[in-house]
């Protein structure tokens, strides 16, 4: 395949690349970046320079081979004095087809950091294309634009292999299931790969395909009605690698004695309890359902589990019938009182929805019977329909900090590494019923869904009004570095976002989009959502801090923003919470008379020699309807340097240090001109 004859700047008009590439790897480290002062007292940028593009693989080595494992392209932008230019807009472009190569964000653009470095991830997405192409970068700052020289690279299929693939259980009971886990690695450097599809086939039974993340892949094999020796084959389409996994499944005639037990309710207000063994067992806890129009949800689930000698038994048919209930009470669907026939899943479970009508009642009974063993039954006899119940009307979730250190840029190798940081999401819940307006809630379950990162648990149970989970930076890293978190539970009122139900507003537009997580119902559900930022440890200043005007007998102010991500858009994130910002004036001229050059820095009107990024930065706090919207206030990301009595030749040193364990120090030297 020949190279394009078009000039590089045309490529930016012809190429539109999309789809996000998650940054891989983890780690961190300390470092210090020093930006030298200018050599003269000239004014704004008169010329702009951009280095040649370079591509480095996941190990940081320069390469001209691009595979599906991905690589990082980088350039450095400097001004006419050879100083790094931060906040310059850099656009990467290639003549490769959109079906063959994808950049790490939608339009291939990024801002340079304080060291003048712009990086962009890219990867091969077509296993059929082995051609050679060129890559260029266009930099723009203060109306000055310059284009780099072309960098030629070739596409190549990655040699991907399986590693540590295993079945959780290689011997299953009839109707059983088991997890399949493993890693996909590049045979060249044996590094784990993300975003790789692993497909499965089985001689009998079923397995769904899986996609690798930083922890590998996980899939579930369901034996169904299979018996005897079977084989599961896992395949990597991109390399053709396969691995065979044998599994032995018991016979249906070897089931032994079956039993059925019930689980009472599926809501946080009513804890689960179980009855054991066969016979007319019943659940201990009352299942309370709200009548239509009440403050309590009018639909609850009860569950029955079928087991053989303690092992869950799948694909068993169960007859479910309703006994002693009002005429408007239903099972399976609203108002239905006909017998249901349900089949147990891989966990031996059937779920029976209960639908309340307008009539209140007690002692409603639901019976489950095994069709294969009619002598084995279980009953739930203490089901109630009531008109209302006192419960919590609201809760809050307060993170210990809301901007985490997620990545770090190494200015020597221009490689971006993944960091591991975390925050605790603290829940506070009170009972606001009329009789106990100030008491803490106990026993309710707060459930969490996060756009990115990894939650330590998907829920927590409130005790004395408190519970918590942890969110860390492993897992998915969104392109905009802004992770929306949704927390919800049962409550006395119904909430929605702009009438669109309750959903995880990933793009923070206040409108439900088809790819966003959404709760199936809003009845009796209360919720809150908020944003956690994932920042780089290298700051981005806008505008750049090259110099400040001298005033030997007065005061000068220079205002700028400092952010922790180059992908800013409308909404910004700060540097990681608890980052320190220090200012120091270096008087090289002795001032005017007895006056010396001094400097302070301010944020939100407070001047000092040292400031700290707040633990809770303003990241679009939800309004009363929990809409994120565009209500972000960036005052806590805006800073002002105040210099006094400074003459030409003096310097002001700005030092930014991110907190341990992801500590990094960046120093910006500002010349007084």
């Amino acid at each position: 395949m020949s190279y394009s004859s078009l000039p590089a700047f045309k490529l930016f008009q012809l190429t539109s690349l999309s789809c996000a590439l998650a940054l891989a790897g983890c780690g961190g480290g300390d470092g210090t970046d020093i930006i030298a002062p200018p050599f003269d007292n000239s004014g704004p940028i008169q010329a702009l320079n951009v280095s040649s593009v370079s591509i480095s693989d996941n190990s940081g080595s320069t390469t001209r081979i691009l595979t599906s494992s991905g690589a990082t392209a980088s350039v450095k932008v400097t001004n006419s004095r050879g100083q790094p230019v931060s906040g310059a807009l850099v656009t990467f472009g290639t003549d490769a087809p959109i079906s063959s190569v994808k950049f790490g964000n939608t339009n291939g653009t990024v801002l340079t950091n304080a060291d003048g470095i712009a990086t962009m991830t890219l990867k091969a997405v077509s296993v059929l294309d082995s051609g050679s192409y060129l890559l260029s970068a266009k930099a723009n700052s203060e109306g000055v634009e310059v284009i780099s020289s072309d960098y030629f690279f070739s596409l190549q299929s990655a040699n991907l292999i399986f590693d540590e693939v295993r079945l959780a259980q290689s011997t299953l009971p009839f109707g059983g299931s088991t997890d399949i886990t493993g890693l996909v690695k590049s045979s060249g450097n044996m590094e784990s790969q993300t975003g790789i599809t692993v497909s499965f086939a089985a001689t009998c039974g079923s397995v769904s395909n899986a996609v690798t993340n930083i922890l590998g892949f996980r899939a579930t094999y369901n034996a169904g009605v299979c018996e005897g020796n079977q084989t599961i084959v896992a395949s990597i389409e991109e390399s053709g690698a396969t691995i065979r996994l044998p599994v032995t499944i018991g016979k249906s005639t070897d089931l032994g004695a079956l039993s059925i037990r019930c689980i009472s309710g599926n809501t946080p207000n009513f804890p689960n309890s179980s009855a054991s063994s066969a016979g007319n067992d019943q659940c201990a806890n009352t299942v309370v359902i709200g009548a239509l129009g009440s403050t309590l949800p009018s639909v609850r689930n009860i569950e029955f589990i079928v087991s053989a000698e303690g092992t869950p038994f799948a694909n068993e048919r169960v007859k479910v019938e309703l006994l002693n209930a009002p005429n408007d009470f239903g099972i399976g669907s609203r108002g239905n009182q006909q017998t249901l026939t349900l089949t147990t899943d891989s966990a031996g479970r059937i779920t029976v929805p209960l639908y309340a009508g307008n009539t209140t009642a007690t002692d409603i009974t639901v019976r489950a019977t095994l069709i294969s063993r009619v002598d084995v039954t279980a009953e739930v006899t203490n089901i109630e329909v009531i008109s209302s119940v006192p419960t919590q009307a609201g809760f809050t979730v307060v993170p210990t900090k809301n901007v985490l250190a997620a990545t770090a840029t190494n200015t020597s190798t221009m490689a971006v590494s993944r960091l591991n940081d975390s925050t605790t999401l603290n829940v506070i819940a009170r009972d606001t019923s009329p009789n106990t307006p100030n008491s803490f809630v106990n026993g309710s379950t707060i459930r969490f869904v996060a756009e990115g990162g990894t939650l330590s648990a998907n829920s927590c149970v409130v005790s004395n009004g408190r519970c918590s989970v942890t969110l860390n930076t492993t897992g998915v890293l969104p392109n905009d570095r802004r992770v929306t978190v949704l927390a919800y539970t049962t409550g006395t009122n119904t909430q929605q976002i702009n009438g669109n139900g309750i959903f995880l507003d990933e793009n923070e537009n206040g409108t439900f989009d088809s790819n966003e997580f959404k709760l199936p119902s809003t009845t009796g559900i209360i919720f809150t959502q908020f944003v956690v930022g994932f920042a780089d440890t290298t700051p981005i200043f806008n505008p750049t801090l090259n110099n400040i005007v001298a005033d030997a007998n007065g005061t000068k102010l220079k205002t700028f923003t400092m952010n922790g991500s180059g992908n800013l858009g409308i909404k910004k994130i700060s540097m990681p919470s608890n980052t320190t910002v220090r200012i120091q004036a270096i008087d090289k001229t002795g001032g005017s008379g007895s006056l010396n050059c001094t400097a302070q820095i301010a944020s939100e009107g407070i001047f000092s020699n040292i400031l700290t990024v707040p633990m809770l930065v303003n990241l679009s706090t939800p309004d009363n309807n929990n809409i994120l919207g565009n209500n972000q206030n960036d005052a806590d990301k805006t800073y002002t340097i105040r210099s006094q009595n400074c003459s030409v030749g003096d310097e002001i040193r700005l030092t930014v240090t991110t907190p341990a364990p992801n500590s990094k120090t960046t120093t910006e030297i500002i010349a007084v001109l």
Side-chain angles (χ1 to χ4, degrees), residues 597-660:
C597 175
T598 61
Q600 289 183 311
I601 189 166
S603 177
E604 299 188 280
I606 301 175
F607 278 92
S608 178
N609 293 108
I610 179 170
L611 298 175
T612 302
V613 174
M615 297 299 286
L616 297 179
V617 179
N618 190 310
L619 294 179
S620 186
T621 303
D623 61 16
N624 292 333
N625 296 317
N626 284 301
I627 298 175
L628 294 173
N630 293 318
N631 57 350
Q632 177 167 304
N633 184 341
D634 287 325
D636 52 8
K637 307 168 197 66
T638 303
Y639 298 83
T640 299
I641 296 175
R642 179 176 64 183
S643 62
Q644 293 180 297
N645 306 318
C646 296
S647 303
V648 175
D650 291 337
E651 292 179 354
I652 296 173
R653 186 182 297 262
L654 180 71
T655 303
V656 180
T657 304
T658 55

